[in-house]
Amino acid sequence: MRFYLIGLMMALLCCHPRTNYSQFQGEGLRTDEQFLTEGRDEAAKHCSGCHMVPEPASMTPETANFVLSYMGLFLGIDASGSLHHPMERSQFQTRYTQLKSGGLIPPQPALGRDSWQKLRNYYLALAKKPSREPERGVAPEKIQVPYEFDDQAITLLRRFESDTLAIGGGVKNLLRMFRISGELKWEKKFTSPPVWIENDGDKWYVLTLGDLLGSVNPKQLSELWEIGPRGERRLLTGLPRSSHFEFVKKGGVRKFFISSFGGLGNGKFSCFTFEGDVPREKILSRRDSHVRSRIISGDGPLRVLSLAAGAREQLILYTETNEGFSEKILAEYPPHTGSVWIDLADVDGDGREEILVLSGDNADSGPWNEIKEDQGLRIYGLSENAAVLKKFIPIPGALSFHILPTIAGKFHIAIARFYAPNESLSDIVVLKHKKDFVFERKDFRIDSRATVLSSVSRNGVRNLIVGAGNTPKFEIVGGSVTRRDFSGDLLTEFALH
Ligand code: HEC
């Protein structure tokens, strides 16, 4: 028995080494404990300045290799010689040009060659094995969409109670307002993609993104428009790249909380107050990559949640005080999380809303969009200004979600997977609320690359509407690059029962 146990332990030790890899692209990797520990210490020292220190097991070697070349730039290290694929080289080149022109590459390396080698070895030797997600998307029964909209990418989709569906496009910068039945109410063309819209009586407020993809010299082209019976006008111009706003009116004073993603240090989260026509800006945060916010309803001081992505990914609570706003970090995520969307819903029916946070953006980890299991939907309870994680549902590669109320107290959460794993063919995930934090999951294949979602009712049936942007998606599967092309429609509609 003893021998058996010793044998088992030895088998475990020899067959489950701490390292996953002893070489990468022909480059030998060291797997001895001491060298790995030194590498970990270098990472703790040099990779902690701008975000949480990533775990090596959060990346495959291919992604680690790309990310290290990219991040090396921030440390004055040129490690791009290890990037061989043209797509890697071209994405790296774009990043290099951006960082160079932003003056973000230090002239002297922050660490010596040996230290860099240890750090690089640590990430490559302990990198994860690629994850797989088997095919799971079933084709829904699509319904003919009655909305005429010709673009290549949908950037905005939102239904209002006033029999209105707003659809915005990212290439033609067009906003069209439809009746649910399909009749066009009005439209307007902007200078950049419309990304969010709010309604205020007979007025509409529309936010435009500025640059679609972010440019080398981040311009401040994002705008907030007011459109109403008395005409249309710009309320705000010259905003850094902005993706979303929340609107509230208190005592006749209009407040807009604008999430400015920005780029290269000009991002911010601001509250603009209008008394009459004159805007007054209160900057709540001066960091990049605020993506979306939500005002928590209720009496007492105004409370706003902001979701920040980019490097230091955080869920932040701002509370209005006499002096301005106080800030409380509720949660922090590693930099590959790709936080994208936030909303509130009373999930457990206790009369208090939970916070729903979605992550899955995969654009900055290189061209391969690998599967990251810790991306997905997190549901938090909020008590005493602290967030308590109640539920995590892994949905790697998600970009946005939409809550569809169904029967009393129940709802579906539909999730658009812009970065759905190629093999899975799971473009949309629908979480059907059963009770408390229990959901039943269904995956749908629509052959469109889903960006944003909304829903409409037709004859008492709730239909999901999916907007898309059909660029091909690349992935490394079994060592070679695979490509998925999308032939589905720009807008897809199907019933959710
Ligand atoms: C000077 C600031 C800075 C330092 C130092 C830094 N990073 Fe980053 N890191 C960033 C920024 C900014 C981003 C977001 C990049 C983007 O959005 O394109 C990021 C993103 C990342 C990501 C996520 C990529 C993705 O989107 O999947 C990883 C992983 C990462 N860094 C690893 C590292 C490692 C490893 C080191 C140390 C070698 C490091 N970083 C050092 C600024 C930094």
Side-chain angles (χ1 to χ4, degrees):
M1 183 64 184
R2 222 157 88 205
F3 286 116
Y4 168 75
L5 275 180
I6 290 169
L8 183 72
M9 278 168 66
M10 282 180 65
L12 283 174
L13 283 174
C14 82
C15 301
H16 295 270
R18 219 163 78 79
T19 44
N20 278 327
Y21 299 97
S22 56
Q23 63 98 22
F24 174 71
Q25 290 181 354
E27 167 188 344
L29 298 172
R30 281 182 54 180
T31 58
D32 52 291
E33 201 63 40
Q34 161 115 22
F35 202 69
L36 291 171
T37 307
E38 287 172 16
R40 191 193 62 205
D41 294 345
E42 296 292 349
K45 194 162 151 198
H46 298 287
C47 308
S48 57
C50 310
H51 47 63
M52 286 170 76
V53 183
E55 287 296 322
S58 65
M59 299 177 267
T60 63
E62 284 80 11
T63 295
N65 186 46
F66 180 87
V67 165
L68 287 170
S69 302
Y70 179 9
M71 292 299 132
L73 294 175
F74 285 114
L75 300 168
I77 303 267
D78 182 358
S80 64
S82 62
L83 302 176
H84 300 302
H85 195 282
M87 283 177 63
E88 288 178 329
R89 294 204 63 84
S90 110
Q91 189 162 337
F92 175 82
Q93 198 55 42
T94 311
R95 297 306 188 195
Y96 173 81
T97 315
Q98 271 173 343
L99 298 194
K100 186 85 191 160
S101 71
L104 294 173
I105 303 178
Q108 296 298 325
L111 68 171
R113 265 227 88 66
D114 284 358
S115 298
W116 175 257
Q117 270 318 319
K118 285 175 189 163
L119 188 155
R120 180 176 160 78
N121 185 85
Y122 165 69
Y123 277 107
L124 291 175
L126 296 175
K128 71 165 184 167
K129 297 281 180 200
S131 316
R132 304 284 286 263
E133 189 179 307
E135 184 174 335
R136 61 195 302 181
V138 280
E141 216 167 290
K142 294 182 190 171
I143 295 159
Q144 177 83 38
V145 179
Y147 311 108
E148 212 173 289
F149 201 88
D150 173 30
D151 200 311
Q152 275 133 46
I154 300 290
T155 50
L156 169 65
L157 208 51
R158 192 163 185 211
R159 175 188 41 86
F160 293 88
E161 292 309 322
S162 54
D163 185 27
T164 311
L165 181 75
I167 306 182
V171 178
K172 298 192 173 156
N173 307 329
L174 181 68
L175 171 71
R176 282 195 157 164
M177 304 292 277
F178 293 96
R179 285 191 196 291
I180 301 303
S181 61
E183 185 193 329
L184 183 66
K185 287 181 159 183
W186 58 269
E187 64 176 29
K188 176 168 170 59
K189 220 174 154 80
F190 296 91
T191 51
S192 74
V195 282
W196 197 243
I197 181 165
E198 290 286 347
N199 186 215
D200 175 22
D202 57 5
K203 287 198 284 282
W204 297 91
Y205 303 117
V206 180
L207 182 71
T208 63
L209 179 66
D211 306 306
L212 179 59
L213 298 172
S215 66
V216 171
N217 301 305
K219 300 177 200 82
Q220 310 219 134
L221 298 173
S222 177
E223 296 179 334
L224 183 71
W225 281 77
E226 179 187 294
I227 298 162
R230 286 185 308 283
E232 45 185 60
R233 62 200 179 109
R234 290 181 177 87
L235 288 181
L236 298 168
T237 56
L239 295 167
R241 207 163 160 246
S242 302
S243 48
H244 175 260
F245 70 97
E246 275 275 85
F247 167 71
V248 67
K249 207 156 143 184
K250 267 195 171 170
V253 179
R254 296 177 295 169
K255 284 186 178 172
F256 297 87
F257 289 89
I258 302 195
S259 300
S260 293
F261 204 87
L264 303 185
N266 70 352
K268 60 185 176 180
F269 182 53
S270 281
C271 174
F272 289 89
T273 312
F274 283 86
E275 284 167 67
D277 279 354
V278 187
R280 228 184 39 217
E281 179 177 12
K282 175 118 223 139
I283 299 178
L284 279 64
S285 159
R286 284 184 187 276
R287 48 159 294 178
D288 278 356
S289 306
H290 285 273
V291 285
R292 291 186 84 78
S293 70
R294 274 308 257 125
I295 293 171
I296 300 174
S297 57
D299 305 328
L302 191 57
R303 296 195 299 165
V304 191
L305 293 160
S306 177
L307 186 63
R312 203 173 286 288
E313 303 203 24
Q314 289 173 333
L315 172 63
I316 313 164
L317 175 68
Y318 293 95
T319 307
E320 194 165 30
T321 64
N322 290 335
E323 293 84 49
F325 285 87
S326 68
E327 181 185 272
K328 171 104 203 270
I329 313 297
L330 297 180
E332 182 156 346
Y333 314 101
H336 68 270
T337 312
S339 301
V340 284
W341 207 271
I342 180 169
D343 210 340
L344 296 165
D346 181 7
V347 177
D348 55 5
D350 68 352
R352 280 184 310 183
E353 289 184 308
E354 273 72 41
I355 310 167
L356 285 74
V357 175
L358 185 72
S359 59
D361 187 88
N362 234 341
D364 304 315
S365 59
W368 310 129
N369 298 299
E370 73 184 20
I371 302 172
K372 292 161 185 156
E373 287 85 355
D374 53 355
Q375 293 179 333
L377 185 69
R378 288 179 171 79
I379 304 179
Y380 297 93
L382 181 62
S383 56
E384 302 291 324
N385 287 353
V388 182
L389 186 66
K390 302 277 189 183
K391 179 89 178 176
F392 169 63
I393 302 169
I395 307 165
L399 195 63
S400 69
F401 70 87
H402 170 70
I403 301 174
L404 301 82
T406 50
I407 44 163
K410 295 273 188 295
F411 53 89
H412 294 344
I413 305 172
I415 295 144
R417 288 181 95 180
F418 188 74
Y419 298 96
N422 282 358
E423 272 183 301
S424 73
L425 302 175
S426 156
D427 303 312
I428 300 290
V429 170
V430 174
L431 302 172
K432 203 170 166 177
H433 186 219
K434 301 309 265 182
K435 61 165 189 171
D436 294 343
F437 298 99
V438 182
F439 295 89
E440 182 186 301
R441 172 176 174 153
K442 228 173 166 173
D443 291 56
F444 293 99
R445 167 188 186 170
I446 56 165
D447 294 314
S448 298
R449 214 172 157 188
T451 53
V452 283
L453 308 167
S454 191
S455 58
V456 296
S457 283
R458 286 189 216 286
N459 309 320
V461 180
R462 264 296 186 162
N463 290 352
L464 182 69
I465 300 194
V466 184
N470 284 347
T471 51
K473 182 173 173 298
F474 297 89
E475 233 175 78
I476 294 183
V477 178
S480 42
V481 177
T482 67
R483 169 186 176 129
R484 182 175 173 209
D485 289 293
F486 295 84
S487 56
D489 294 323
L490 191 68
L491 289 164
T492 303
E493 182 174 334
F494 61 93
L496 289 185
H497 300 288

